[in-house]
Amino acid sequence: MATLTSPDLTPVAAALRGQKLPRWAPAALAALGVVLGIGASYGLYGELRTANAVVLSAVLYSAVQTAASFAVEGRRQAVDRLFTTFVYTAFLLAALPLVLILWYTIQRGYHVISGTFLGSSMFLVNPDNAGGGIYHAIAGTLQQTLLSALVAVPLGVLTALYLVEYGGRTRFGRLVSFFVDVMTGVPSIVAGIFVYAAWLIALGFQKSGLAGALALAILMLPIVVRATEEMLKLVPADLREASYALGVPKWRTILKVVLPTALPGIVTGVMLGVARVMGETAPLILLVGTNPKINLNPFSFSQVSANPQTALPTYIWDSFQQAAGNPTHPAAQRAWGAALVLIALIMLLNLVARTIARFARARG
Amino acid sequence: MAKSIDVSDLNIYYGSFLAVEGVSMFIEPKSVTAFIGPSGCGKSTVLRTLNRMHEVIPGARVQGKVLLDGEDIYGSAVDPVNVRRTIGMVFQRPNPFPTMSIYDNVVAGLRLAGRQPRAKLDAIVEKALRGANLWNEVKDRLKKPGASLSGGQQQRLCIARAIAVEPQVLLMDEPCSALDPISTLAIEDLIQDLKGKYTIVIVTHNMQQAARVSDRTGFFNLSAVGKPGRLVEMDDTQRIFSNPTDKRTEDYITGRFG
């Protein structure tokens, strides 16, 4: 390798320059790793086992590259390349489930989606036949999520304001903070049972979209509080002082300076909460159930069916029950279609919220 | 309309820590008073007690009297919000409100304080920006975000914001320390202009700046780290920089310590 160093370099230049693997080396070594991995699969099992070959390829690639780098570039560069490979591998592994979920859902759900599917309910449709749709479930999900947001967002933002601007350091503030942490870990079914006991049994209300929304609000609240709290903490103390120094009272400083500055982050936090509860199933099974008929009133109890409203997650759950493990059953197909719509809905809401936040901030 | 400030026996605490001890001084109306001294000697802390910004920090408190034209601003019936409307402040780092345009930044004090003479706002914006020597640079882009300006322009925007509410006193906490020499010069010229209308108190680390802009200078010092800061000497600026009474002042301004 010493031959690579030009003899006419000054000593300083020679000291600053190091030997480097050529730019094509990682790609070439990766190809080598794949070949070796496939070869090893045949060698070990006598056949190509894809999953094993992938893992073997990755391991062999990082081993070969580290060895080559160590020989040419030295220890520091070799360690750098090894850990870079680890980081990329970890990222790919983390992204894999997401990609697979999207892939599975799109692949199985897209052909179900049609105007009829999106625009009609399951009323008078035999679940064993094709046809019917999810209009009633989309409406239910949107209404229940909106209701839960109407409850959880004001409460959550105000709680975060209390923690950051007023009582965060007091004993009570710390207690509130602790309970918010505990609430983050409350299982959704527990929230459902609580609403069942408090709202349905103790207060005597009937099952309704609202009852489900209340349980969803309990789940959403700690997410909104935590996200808003972090965003409010990021607002520089400078801005608050600038406002106080102009003779602006504290409450107006919070309303006109602190909240607008933190708004984009708060919107993101609220969207996290919405996305979290939109796919929640267990409390809705308990508190709302499924109703094949369109019911656009989340406060009412249905006269037709035993249950008031349907949401997308409960619709998916219900359809898979009807399909009874048969993947070609029309209900199973509808379930995949509904799952795809649910994911699309969450992504759409995210985009809308981000756009709103951007405009709200740029308007100035 | 400019007012005098009379400070007597001021002790300033952060929690149980005594940060500044026994400050007494008289600040003349329509003059520029500079506070100089080494880091940590309490000059900014004293400045912040003059418009009750000190108590914004949790645990911070004050003993003693600060009289604004004879009225104690720490009196029990006094509302700190009203004190701050009368005594404006400009900070070390320019801090325009990032969500607001240049225009909205200037009128922020009026709008947020709930005083909205809507029809007059345009005139107030022009007057304040002219007062801060910024009008010609921004008059065509008043709707652009305040954060789009350069550092020196942002600081002048903050000064415009402070004078738009027409305070009687203007406190400046190292207003030039984050700025380049040209922006510094612009601010110093501005201070000379503002002197005709306002009582100005400025904290600075730059002794030449204190000598250039101020009529009177107060020198703060602390005997050791962890000990409270004190006002060593306060006199006409010319006298402080030519013939100070106290040996420590002379050592400091000649660069023999600090």
Side-chain angles (χ1 to χ4, degrees):
Chain A
M1 289 301 146
T3 53
L4 285 177
T5 314
S6 312
D8 55 344
L9 281 179
T10 62
V12 173
L16 290 179
R17 287 170 197 218
Q19 300 291 345
K20 253 190 107 47
L21 284 176
R23 287 172 62 89
W24 47 262
L29 291 173
L32 181 66
V34 170
V35 172
L36 286 177
I38 292 170
S41 174
Y42 276 112
L44 286 172
Y45 312 113
E47 58 174 337
L48 179 62
R49 294 187 183 176
T50 316
N52 293 347
V54 168
V55 173
L56 283 169
S57 299
V59 171
L60 287 167
Y61 160 63
S62 54
V64 170
Q65 180 177 258
T66 305
S69 175
F70 190 83
V72 178
E73 297 178 319
R75 186 169 176 277
R76 183 173 56 83
Q77 296 283 8
V79 172
D80 178 42
R81 281 186 193 272
L82 182 65
F83 276 89
T84 307
T85 312
F86 280 166
V87 170
Y88 276 98
T89 311
F91 163 72
L92 286 176
L93 285 178
L96 192 66
L98 178 68
V99 174
L100 283 181
I101 286 173
L102 278 177
W103 171 245
Y104 259 70
T105 315
I106 292 170
Q107 192 203 19
R108 295 177 187 211
Y110 83 95
H111 59 88
V112 187
I113 309 260
S114 66
T116 323
F117 186 66
L118 294 175
S120 55
S121 74
M122 293 299 290
F123 188 47
L124 302 179
V125 175
N126 182 346
D128 292 331
N129 295 339
I134 57 167
Y135 179 76
H136 60 309
I138 296 177
T141 283
L142 290 179
Q143 285 183 341
Q144 289 162 23
T145 313
L146 183 71
L147 273 179
S148 65
L150 284 179
V151 175
V153 172
L155 277 179
V157 170
L158 288 173
T159 305
L161 274 177
Y162 171 76
L163 287 176
V164 175
E165 305 288 337
Y166 293 95
R169 293 157 153 259
T170 60
R171 186 177 290 266
F172 182 68
R174 262 176 258 188
L175 195 70
V176 171
S177 195
F178 172 72
F179 275 109
V180 170
D181 276 342
V182 173
M183 272 182 82
T184 313
V186 166
S188 56
I189 188 65
V190 174
I193 292 172
F194 167 71
V195 174
Y196 195 91
W199 185 256
L200 267 57
I201 294 178
L203 293 174
F205 290 96
Q206 288 181 298
K207 283 178 163 189
S208 67
L210 176 66
L214 289 177
L216 296 185
I218 293 174
L219 298 170
M220 196 170 168
L221 189 63
I223 303 173
V224 174
V225 173
R226 274 284 164 261
T228 308
E229 194 185 352
E230 292 308 315
M231 289 304 131
L232 292 176
K233 279 182 186 162
L234 287 180
V235 175
D238 280 9
L239 293 181
R240 294 187 181 89
E241 293 205 336
S243 183
Y244 294 152
L246 287 169
V248 181
K250 184 167 185 170
W251 68 274
R252 283 195 82 98
T253 299
I254 292 169
L255 205 62
K256 297 287 185 175
V257 175
V258 177
L259 277 179
T261 308
L263 186 66
I266 295 175
V267 170
T268 309
V270 168
M271 285 318 301
L272 279 175
V274 167
R276 162 84 166 75
V277 301
M278 232 180 176
E280 201 54 70
T281 322
L284 297 183
I285 292 175
L286 204 61
L287 298 165
V288 196
T290 54
N291 173 6
K293 194 173 186 304
I294 297 169
N295 174 11
L296 294 183
N297 183 357
F299 304 103
S300 81
F301 182 78
S302 168
Q303 305 299 318
V304 179
S305 151
N307 293 319
Q309 239 186 353
T310 304
L312 282 168
T314 43
Y315 177 91
I316 296 168
W317 174 79
D318 198 35
S319 298
F320 267 105
Q321 300 256 309
Q322 290 160 358
N326 177 5
T328 54
H329 191 283
Q333 312 237 332
R334 283 195 294 270
W336 282 109
L340 182 58
V341 170
L342 181 59
I343 293 176
L345 216 53
I346 290 172
M347 283 169 102
L348 192 73
L349 278 181
N350 241 310
L351 283 177
V352 169
R354 275 164 195 266
T355 315
I356 291 172
R358 180 175 299 171
F359 276 106
R361 179 155 193 161
R363 187 169 48 84
Chain B
M1 64 183 258
K3 294 195 169 171
S4 68
I5 299 176
D6 191 356
V7 179
S8 52
D9 295 325
L10 195 65
N11 291 336
I12 310 172
Y13 295 86
Y14 289 102
S16 60
F17 173 66
L18 178 60
V20 178
E21 187 177 24
V23 172
S24 297
M25 65 168 79
F26 184 76
I27 295 169
E28 311 256 358
K30 291 193 184 184
S31 71
V32 179
T33 303
F35 292 172
I36 60 169
S39 294
C41 68
K43 17 180 225 309
S44 291
T45 304
V46 171
L47 191 78
R48 290 168 63 92
T49 58
L50 299 184
N51 69 341
R52 298 194 60 169
M53 283 297 288
H54 177 65
E55 65 206 49
V56 169
I57 298 161
R61 61 198 169 87
V62 171
Q63 284 174 353
K65 279 191 171 157
V66 178
L67 305 180
L68 180 72
D69 265 10
E71 175 72 27
D72 187 0
I73 65 168
Y74 284 94
S76 57
V78 172
D79 183 353
V81 168
N82 291 331
V83 170
R84 292 175 201 140
R85 284 178 191 172
T86 315
I87 307 179
M89 191 164 195
V90 176
F91 295 85
Q92 183 172 358
R93 283 195 313 170
N95 52 4
F97 298 127
T99 54
M100 297 184 196
S101 66
I102 295 170
Y103 185 99
D104 290 339
N105 259 289
V106 176
V107 296
L110 296 168
R111 269 199 188 144
L112 300 186
R115 294 178 289 169
Q116 289 199 25
R118 263 179 201 284
K120 294 190 200 150
L121 281 183
D122 287 349
I124 290 171
V125 168
E126 177 166 355
K127 191 176 159 204
L129 285 172
R130 279 192 196 282
N133 276 333
L134 193 60
W135 175 250
N136 287 328
E137 291 160 66
V138 300
K139 64 182 176 204
D140 299 324
R141 46 175 174 149
L142 292 173
K143 295 292 165 199
K144 290 269 160 56
S148 68
L149 300 173
S150 76
Q153 288 172 328
Q154 284 187 19
Q155 191 63 303
R156 277 180 284 153
L157 177 61
C158 292
I159 293 174
R161 184 175 67 185
I163 61 181
V165 297
E166 305 206 313
Q168 327 254 310
V169 180
L170 198 56
L171 308 177
M172 299 179 141
D173 190 358
E174 299 184 41
C176 303
S177 64
L179 306 181
D180 69 282
I182 293 169
S183 304
T184 301
L185 190 67
I187 304 259
E188 287 183 9
D189 287 346
L190 181 57
I191 291 171
Q192 289 306 322
D193 293 345
L194 295 174
K195 193 170 83 171
K197 284 183 74 179
Y198 305 97
T199 304
I200 294 175
V201 186
I202 176 170
V203 166
T204 178
H205 266 292
N206 181 333
M207 278 179 279
Q208 284 78 21
Q209 183 174 63
R212 278 195 301 265
V213 301
S214 71
D215 305 307
R216 287 174 66 80
T217 298
F219 170 62
F220 288 80
N221 198 6
L222 70 176
S223 48
V225 175
K227 293 272 171 61
R230 287 171 171 279
L231 177 64
V232 174
E233 177 174 10
M234 187 160 178
D235 213 327
D236 289 340
T237 298
Q238 197 161 15
R239 195 174 155 84
I240 290 276
F241 283 97
S242 58
N243 186 18
T245 316
D246 199 291
K247 179 79 167 63
R248 287 168 294 178
T249 315
E250 190 178 347
D251 286 350
Y252 184 73
I253 59 160
T254 53
R256 243 169 278 169
F257 96 105

